Amino acid sequence: MTIKINASTPYEVVIEKGALCRINDLLKDGQRVLVVSDSNVMPIYGNRFVGAEKLTLKAGEKHKNLKTIQLILKTLQRLGFTRSDTVVGLGGGVVGDMAAFASSIYMRGIRYVACPTSLLAMIDSSVGGKTGVDFLGSKNMVGSFYQPSLVICDTDCLKTLPEREIKNGMGEAVKYAVLTGDEEMLSDCLSADKVEAFIGKCVTAKKEIVEADEKDKGVRALLNLGHTFGHAIEKLSRFKIAHGVAVAMGIRVATKVAVGAKVATVENAEKIEALLDRYNMPKAVEYDKKDFIDAVWLDKKRTTDGINLVLPEKTGVCKTVYMTKQEVLKLI
Amino acid sequence: MTIKINASTPYEVVIEKGALCRINDLLKDGQRVLVVSDSNVMPIYGNRFVGAEKLTLKAGEKHKNLKTIQLILKTLQRLGFTRSDTVVGLGGGVVGDMAAFASSIYMRGIRYVACPTSLLAMIDSSVGGKTGVDFLGSKNMVGSFYQPSLVICDTDCLKTLPEREIKNGMGEAVKYAVLTGDEEMLSDCLSADKVEAFIGKCVTAKKEIVEADEKDKGVRALLNLGHTFGHAIEKLSRFKIAHGVAVAMGIRVATKVAVGAKVATVENAEKIEALLDRYNMPKAVEYDKKDFIDAVWLDKKRTTDGINLVLPEKTGVCKTVYMTKQEVLKLI
């Protein structure tokens, strides 16, 4: 399946079993390629890229920083890469965010191709052009909007994915179910005959929002459902809780706040909770409320006085609500 | 005078004697402001920004690097700046390139206002959205395309500019005269009654090219007249030769190559040389040709095999010519 994303620079998302086996055809000839991956993924899929340069990063969110970006930039410089060459990000969300960010600022932008290998990266982070790294303890605080030239999702990669990574992806998948109201999309979604359609549904949901608001000035905020609280949970767990799982936990907090703010009825909130339960998403961890709200207040959605929170009214209907720190503190 | 730039994000360039005296009106209320400037300019004009936060960088091209960008990012983070706040770049091209680059990547982009105080920054670098820093010895190797929200050129700032900075700006000004064929624009251009119109002509020339090709994939290359060789001259001089002067010297080299490649006649080349002489631009320095060509080959316009050079056919007509390293080496 191929989905076209009509961003400022249009590109295609190829979702296909075995796509990495024909990667050398998918990447056009006549240009040099640097494959950026991490120590988990490069040993498994790196050899599919014939004749490409390779750069293996240390795996994990704690290496998602400007130091690693400089390593990628130095490698590109050392290899003499030019604007007519290509960087491939091969791996999960962390690798993709960094490879894409480095691509966006090397020579003010060279061609970037995303090859997501995790469920989370396939259904969410590889599409939409948000790139970045963590900075001084804040998630994705430094980055850019930069669209890939091509996204290639090989569903075969999901077979080698550890269980915790599947759960990580399912956290974001639940987000799409709550946003779209299409709970059915989740059921048995990773089975061989459903997985392509499932990834396609998530990508299509994201596509519609990104096409309407590429630079995140309005409706795109909805994609942050669960993220403002989720980023705080990730941070307080010292990144032991994976992003997608933290997002699911963040949806629980957002649902609680929605009830308190009379955005959602108790009944509708319970339906969302039930959906999170069905996919075994953990209950929101009880952090010290002061620590939690301070971590929330590092978010990019914050203005000087308050924060824009995405709250679910019910599955299929979410809205952005502006609240002060005191108001949020009362309701969490 | 106000010139509107219709880039992907439109913005205005205000060219006005004394504009900095009403800067607090020009910057809209209700948002925080960080003024980024350098140790030369902040002491002179920093106090015009009432109630703003200030960050003073070390002056000079040698500090135009990722370390300084991190200092700006840390300052924004420490002050708790959000997307609704504003960064002002107050100074010459180096300060502007860095303040704009940091603005483009902090939270994936916060509002940026350019207050160029040098002739070069007013007529060239503050308009068009190219940002960046030097990296591992290559000029502007890391950066982004990021349009300012507003550009404010206070022509009174030119009064405090040292003579070498005036000459630096005139180097880029000669470039605009060669590109447009309007040699007359240069004559007595800094006199009180002509300076606004002169800056306006340069900005308008740049505007037309940038609007046609914001991301530098085609016609915008023409603005690099003199730059490919100029950057090499800057580098080999260890940045003792200022950018604009190096560009003028680069135009001399490009003119020589144009004659050798039969793009320009000797007669037309002599007219360009005469124009450079009239504004006291130095002759091209004689570097070792091997060193020179290697420095040229660090340029972003390079592809793996060759380089796209902007060569003048005559004043008012320039073109891009693709040449191999060997071909260029023969003609310089």
Side-chain angles (χ1 to χ4, degrees):
Chain A
M1 165 188 329
T2 297
I3 297 171
K4 183 154 188 193
I5 312 286
N6 293 306
S8 53
T9 320
Y11 57 98
E12 290 184 343
V13 181
V14 176
I15 305 165
E16 188 181 294
K17 182 178 157 59
L20 281 184
C21 291
R22 60 181 192 99
I23 188 68
N24 302 294
D25 293 334
L26 286 167
L27 299 173
K28 280 179 199 121
D29 292 339
Q31 58 192 355
R32 302 174 70 195
V33 172
L34 172 68
V35 179
V36 177
S37 190
D38 69 19
S39 48
N40 292 331
V41 176
M42 188 70 97
I44 312 178
Y45 299 111
N47 63 4
R48 306 286 169 92
F49 296 80
V50 176
E53 305 286 349
K54 310 273 167 72
L55 174 65
T56 304
L57 308 176
K58 289 177 190 164
E61 180 88 23
K62 70 176 171 179
H63 301 291
K64 190 177 169 185
N65 53 38
L66 285 177
K67 201 173 152 191
T68 308
I69 294 300
Q70 289 190 62
L71 173 65
I72 303 172
L73 295 171
K74 272 181 199 170
T75 304
L76 288 166
Q77 174 88 313
R78 180 176 54 76
L79 293 169
F81 265 50
T82 72
R83 285 177 176 164
S84 61
D85 299 319
T86 299
V87 172
V88 170
L90 173 73
V94 172
V95 162
D97 282 3
M98 287 200 289
F101 181 41
S103 300
S104 76
I105 61 174
Y106 181 72
M107 293 189 169
R108 299 197 187 94
I110 70 170
R111 189 175 138 90
Y112 175 67
V113 173
C115 292
T117 60
S118 74
L119 180 58
L120 188 142
M122 287 187 198
I123 67 171
D124 190 64
S125 64
S126 67
V127 173
K130 281 195 180 181
T131 83
V133 293
D134 305 336
F135 186 70
L136 299 180
S138 288
K139 277 279 287 187
N140 302 331
M141 187 52 69
V142 173
S144 60
F145 290 99
Y146 192 66
Q147 302 298 334
S149 298
L150 179 65
V151 180
I152 299 163
C153 302
D154 181 348
T155 54
D156 275 348
C157 295
L158 300 177
K159 291 177 187 166
T160 60
L161 217 56
E163 184 53 40
R164 87 181 276 277
E165 271 303 316
I166 294 289
K167 187 159 183 175
N168 189 19
M170 287 307 294
E172 286 277 6
V174 171
K175 180 189 84 176
Y176 283 108
V178 174
L179 281 176
T180 61
D182 179 5
E183 298 175 31
E184 191 46 44
M185 70 190 266
L186 297 177
S187 90
D188 200 25
C189 62
L190 299 181
S191 65
D193 59 333
K194 287 190 177 172
V195 66
E196 269 191 35
F198 161 66
I199 294 169
K201 276 186 182 179
C202 293
V203 169
T204 302
K206 184 153 190 180
K207 160 193 161 78
E208 283 166 8
I209 290 175
V210 167
E211 286 177 355
D213 176 27
E214 185 172 336
K215 294 291 176 68
D216 202 9
K217 292 179 187 299
V219 68
R220 185 164 179 170
L222 292 179
L223 289 172
N224 279 298
L225 173 64
H227 279 64
T228 300
F229 296 123
H231 285 165
I233 291 167
E234 270 184 278
K235 182 175 160 59
L236 291 175
S237 81
R238 295 186 184 170
F239 299 105
K240 289 205 180 89
I241 298 176
H243 175 72
V245 175
V247 165
M249 294 162 79
I251 294 175
R252 291 206 197 261
V253 182
T255 305
K256 185 178 170 190
V257 171
V259 173
K262 301 204 188 323
V263 168
T265 62
V266 172
E267 194 187 1
N268 284 331
E270 278 170 357
K271 283 184 190 159
I272 294 169
E273 289 278 353
L275 191 64
L276 290 157
D277 291 342
R278 195 181 315 153
Y279 296 95
N280 299 316
M281 293 300 148
K283 304 286 180 189
V285 179
E286 290 296 323
Y287 293 109
D288 176 86
K289 283 193 181 184
K290 177 74 175 58
D291 291 349
F292 187 70
I293 198 86
D294 284 347
V296 167
W297 238 253
L298 293 171
D299 192 90
K300 292 187 291 298
K301 297 288 164 194
R302 177 177 53 88
T303 65
T304 303
D305 304 317
I307 200 160
N308 289 307
L309 286 177
V310 182
L311 300 180
E313 185 180 319
K314 56 183 178 184
T315 55
V317 183
C318 294
K319 55 172 69 170
T320 303
V321 179
Y322 183 82
M323 298 177 90
T324 65
K325 200 168 178 177
Q326 271 320 105
E327 287 169 334
V328 179
L329 190 58
K330 250 187 277 178
L331 300 177
I332 53 176
Chain B
M1 164 188 328
T2 297
I3 297 172
K4 184 154 186 193
I5 312 287
N6 294 306
S8 55
T9 320
Y11 58 98
E12 290 185 341
V13 181
V14 176
I15 306 165
E16 188 181 293
K17 182 178 156 58
L20 281 184
C21 291
R22 62 183 192 98
I23 188 68
N24 302 293
D25 294 333
L26 286 168
L27 298 174
K28 278 175 200 126
D29 292 340
Q31 58 190 356
R32 301 174 70 196
V33 172
L34 173 68
V35 179
V36 177
S37 189
D38 69 18
S39 48
N40 292 331
V41 176
M42 188 71 97
I44 312 180
Y45 299 112
N47 63 3
R48 305 287 168 92
F49 296 80
V50 176
E53 304 286 348
K54 311 272 166 72
L55 174 64
T56 304
L57 308 176
K58 288 176 191 164
E61 180 86 24
K62 71 176 169 177
H63 301 292
K64 190 177 169 185
N65 54 38
L66 285 177
K67 201 173 152 192
T68 308
I69 295 299
Q70 289 192 61
L71 173 65
I72 302 173
L73 295 171
K74 273 182 198 168
T75 305
L76 288 165
Q77 175 88 312
R78 179 175 55 76
L79 294 169
F81 264 50
T82 72
R83 285 176 176 165
S84 60
D85 298 319
T86 299
V87 172
V88 170
L90 172 72
V94 172
V95 162
D97 282 3
M98 287 200 289
F101 181 41
S103 300
S104 76
I105 61 174
Y106 180 73
M107 292 190 168
R108 297 196 189 95
I110 70 171
R111 190 175 136 87
Y112 176 68
V113 173
C115 292
T117 60
S118 74
L119 180 58
L120 187 142
M122 288 187 198
I123 67 170
D124 190 63
S125 63
S126 67
V127 173
K130 282 196 179 179
T131 83
V133 292
D134 305 336
F135 187 70
L136 299 180
S138 288
K139 276 280 286 187
N140 301 332
M141 187 52 68
V142 173
S144 61
F145 289 99
Y146 192 66
Q147 302 298 334
S149 297
L150 179 65
V151 181
I152 298 162
C153 303
D154 181 349
T155 54
D156 274 348
C157 296
L158 300 176
K159 292 177 187 166
T160 60
L161 216 57
E163 184 53 39
R164 88 181 274 278
E165 270 303 317
I166 294 290
K167 188 159 184 176
N168 188 19
M170 287 305 294
E172 285 279 5
V174 171
K175 180 188 83 176
Y176 283 109
V178 174
L179 281 176
T180 61
D182 179 5
E183 299 176 31
E184 190 46 42
M185 71 190 268
L186 297 177
S187 90
D188 200 24
C189 61
L190 299 182
S191 63
D193 58 334
K194 288 190 178 173
V195 67
E196 269 192 36
F198 161 65
I199 294 169
K201 276 187 182 178
C202 293
V203 169
T204 302
K206 185 152 190 180
K207 161 192 160 77
E208 284 166 7
I209 291 175
V210 167
E211 286 177 356
D213 175 27
E214 185 172 335
K215 293 292 176 67
D216 203 9
K217 292 179 187 298
V219 67
R220 185 163 179 171
L222 293 179
L223 290 172
N224 280 297
L225 173 65
H227 279 64
T228 300
F229 296 123
H231 285 164
I233 291 167
E234 271 184 278
K235 183 176 158 58
L236 292 175
S237 81
R238 298 186 182 171
F239 298 106
K240 288 205 181 89
I241 298 176
H243 175 72
V245 175
V247 165
M249 293 161 78
I251 295 175
R252 290 204 197 264
V253 182
T255 304
K256 185 178 170 189
V257 171
V259 172
K262 302 205 188 320
V263 168
T265 62
V266 172
E267 194 186 1
N268 284 332
E270 280 170 356
K271 282 183 191 160
I272 294 169
E273 290 278 354
L275 192 63
L276 290 157
D277 292 341
R278 195 181 317 153
Y279 295 95
N280 299 315
M281 293 301 147
K283 303 287 178 187
V285 179
E286 289 296 324
Y287 293 108
D288 176 85
K289 282 192 181 184
K290 179 74 175 56
D291 292 347
F292 187 69
I293 198 85
D294 285 346
V296 166
W297 239 251
L298 294 170
D299 192 272
K300 293 187 292 298
K301 297 289 164 194
R302 176 178 53 90
T303 65
T304 304
D305 303 317
I307 201 161
N308 288 307
L309 286 176
V310 182
L311 301 180
E313 185 180 318
K314 57 183 178 183
T315 56
V317 183
C318 294
K319 54 172 68 171
T320 303
V321 179
Y322 183 83
M323 297 177 90
T324 65
K325 200 168 178 177
Q326 272 319 104
E327 287 169 333
V328 180
L329 191 58
K330 248 187 280 176
L331 300 178
I332 55 177

